[in-house]
Amino acid sequence: MVSKKELSLRQRLALEIHRKMQNRVIKEHPLKQLFWECTQRCNLFCRHCGSDCKKTALQPDMPAQDFYRVLDQIAERTDPHNVFVVITGGEPLMRDDLEECGRTIYLKGFPWGMVTNGLFLTPQRLKSLLAAGMHSATVSLDGFEPEHNWMRGHKDSFQRASEAIKMLAQTPGFVFDVVTCVNKRNYTQLEEFKDYLISLGLRDWRLFTVFPVGRAAKNEELQLSPEELRGLMEFIRKTNKEGRIKADYGCEGFLGRYEGYARRHFFTCQAGISVGSVLIDGSISACASIRANYHQGNIYQDNFMDVWENKFHPYRNHEWMKKGECADCKFFRYCRGNGMHLRDDNGNLLFCHLKRIQEE
């Protein structure tokens, strides 16, 4: 068990070093990761979807040429090999031209990967994506068949996602991970599910909890209790101590006494600091999980790199977050007001991980 003290001296010293290093990164804000929301179409109907995508999206897919212009603007000012493009949605595999998009991104010098639910990832499609230069992938799997299919709203989702994980695990040198949304339905099965993922060949596993936006806003089954959240942190710590698979809690928020145990890094929100995004309507934002209106411009009116270099002030200086429960919090120096995806349009905090962990 992790000590019930708030933070050990060792943790405080490490967090202070990390804070100073992060201050330098914020000052330099090098673009390292760029999300492209290429579509809002999706072949599933997930209960926890942050964007509330539909099978037939009202917003049409972004024309690839529009995104290519953004890449050209980036390549004029920085080395494209240092900017990783993550294609997301919706479900990227809904686009018939995904391979063409990936190939062009690759030829422009940008490494790229995608986030997928795996439903459409056949051996033939994987082969063509690899030929188009795909470097990595993230696949979602939220428990065993009943729990996953309940979450994803499709009877074949578990089987197809499992097959996708097997295929990726059998691809020599390919880097990928699995993300799992931990909720009340799958929480008690984590040990058995871990063994299942290992049997598929998985090496890297990210676990996260649902934050209250989109379809998940009013679904109590998706929210863990304070005891369950602490149990999840202990499970991750124990899993990493075993060494059979690497587990991390997602970059969701500051975890107090579990910092340094539940992740391979200390909490930091890189949105707008090293992570940017181009959303389906051309909005220039940061992490694709941010659904509140913190857009900084639009590619149809602005040069992406002008925006990146001269705007994003709410992302890089979080002093405005010192209100409400954050106003007098002694951990604000490390937390910096939590992740940007946990703020609503008015800047109010939607969820505090530290507060939930400390509740009895």
Side-chain angles (χ1 to χ4, degrees):
M1 293 284 290
V2 172
S3 170
K4 288 193 175 183
K5 292 187 295 183
E6 289 183 340
L7 285 175
S8 68
L9 177 60
R10 181 179 178 182
Q11 283 175 307
R12 288 182 181 275
L13 290 173
L15 283 165
E16 282 296 329
I17 293 171
H18 178 263
R19 184 178 68 86
K20 292 177 180 178
M21 292 174 61
Q22 183 63 10
N23 285 340
R24 289 197 294 269
V25 175
I26 293 171
K27 183 178 180 180
E28 297 170 2
H29 50 266
L31 181 64
K32 294 294 185 182
Q33 192 174 56
L34 178 67
F35 285 91
W36 177 29
E37 188 182 43
C38 70
T39 183
Q40 281 196 343
R41 291 182 294 144
C42 190
N43 45 19
L44 299 181
F45 194 82
C46 304
R47 294 175 183 271
H48 63 313
C49 181
S51 56
D52 203 12
C53 298
K54 298 176 176 62
K55 290 182 180 179
T56 304
L58 298 177
Q59 179 75 39
D61 294 356
M62 177 179 286
Q65 291 294 336
D66 296 350
F67 183 65
Y68 299 158
R69 284 195 292 272
V70 173
L71 298 183
D72 292 339
Q73 293 165 4
I74 294 171
E76 289 176 357
R77 304 194 199 182
T78 191
D79 185 351
H81 297 90
N82 294 329
V83 181
F84 197 96
V85 174
V86 182
I87 302 179
T88 185
E91 171 52 49
L93 291 173
M94 296 286 285
R95 285 187 71 128
D96 294 332
D97 65 344
L98 183 60
E99 285 84 348
E100 180 183 342
C101 295
R103 187 176 297 108
T104 302
I105 292 169
Y106 179 75
L107 291 175
K108 287 179 178 291
F110 294 83
W112 71 275
M114 69 171 178
V115 179
T116 178
N117 58 46
L119 192 67
F120 285 174
L121 190 63
T122 63
Q124 295 77 19
R125 197 83 197 268
L126 175 58
K127 183 178 179 180
S128 64
L129 288 166
L130 293 172
M134 183 171 69
H135 281 62
S136 73
T138 293
V139 180
S140 300
L141 193 62
D142 297 321
F144 290 111
E145 188 164 14
E147 290 73 33
H148 178 82
N149 290 350
W150 170 82
M151 177 71 83
R152 297 288 167 170
H154 195 292
K155 64 181 179 61
D156 299 323
S157 181
F158 174 82
Q159 180 183 350
R160 297 300 295 273
S162 295
E163 291 170 355
I165 294 167
K166 284 183 183 179
M167 285 191 290
L168 296 176
Q170 293 168 3
T171 302
F174 190 75
V175 177
F176 78 103
D177 65 357
V178 166
V179 292
T180 296
C181 174
V182 182
N183 56 81
K184 288 188 180 297
R185 289 203 174 204
N186 63 15
Y187 172 76
T188 59
Q189 302 172 349
L190 289 176
E191 283 288 347
E192 295 83 358
F193 187 57
K194 174 182 66 179
D195 292 337
Y196 175 72
L197 291 174
I198 293 171
S199 75
L200 296 180
L202 183 66
R203 296 181 179 180
D204 289 282
W205 186 21
R206 271 187 296 145
L207 303 98
F208 70 99
T209 48
V210 174
F211 52 96
V213 298
R215 295 180 193 146
K218 297 180 181 180
N219 194 331
E220 293 184 0
E221 283 188 282
L222 298 180
Q223 303 294 329
L224 297 184
S225 69
E227 182 180 3
E228 289 167 336
L229 184 57
R230 290 190 293 271
L232 174 59
M233 300 302 131
E234 292 291 345
F235 169 77
I236 293 173
R237 182 197 64 81
K238 176 176 173 289
T239 294
N240 287 326
K241 190 174 182 180
E242 290 173 353
R244 295 190 297 148
I245 188 173
K246 294 178 181 178
D248 276 301
Y249 185 65
C251 53
E252 301 264 309
F254 183 72
L255 303 175
R257 64 181 183 265
Y258 291 104
E259 285 293 325
Y261 294 97
R263 297 188 190 98
R264 279 168 277 183
H265 57 84
F266 289 112
F267 170 71
T268 180
C269 179
Q270 289 296 318
I273 297 170
S274 64
V275 177
S277 70
V278 175
L279 302 182
I280 190 69
D281 63 353
S283 295
I284 298 171
S285 187
C287 171
S289 294
I290 299 170
R291 289 296 154 183
N293 187 10
Y294 291 100
H295 306 330
Q296 299 296 294
N298 192 289
I299 65 169
Y300 296 111
Q301 288 87 42
D302 306 298
N303 179 290
F304 180 90
M305 286 305 290
D306 284 345
V307 174
W308 181 259
E309 291 172 356
N310 300 307
K311 299 186 78 171
F312 282 92
H313 304 301
Y315 291 86
R316 295 168 187 168
N317 185 341
H318 285 192
E319 289 300 306
W320 61 272
M321 292 184 177
K322 281 189 173 181
K323 61 180 184 177
E325 57 193 294
C326 294
D328 300 313
C329 181
K330 60 184 177 182
F331 294 110
F332 188 90
R333 65 188 293 106
Y334 307 132
C335 177
R336 301 178 191 264
N338 231 330
M340 283 291 293
H341 68 290
L342 295 172
R343 295 279 165 173
D344 65 15
D345 285 335
N346 298 316
N348 298 312
L349 184 63
L350 297 171
F351 186 88
C352 175
H353 290 77
L354 179 62
K355 182 178 179 180
R356 180 63 62 90
I357 284 172
Q358 291 178 334
E359 287 179 8
E360 296 300 335

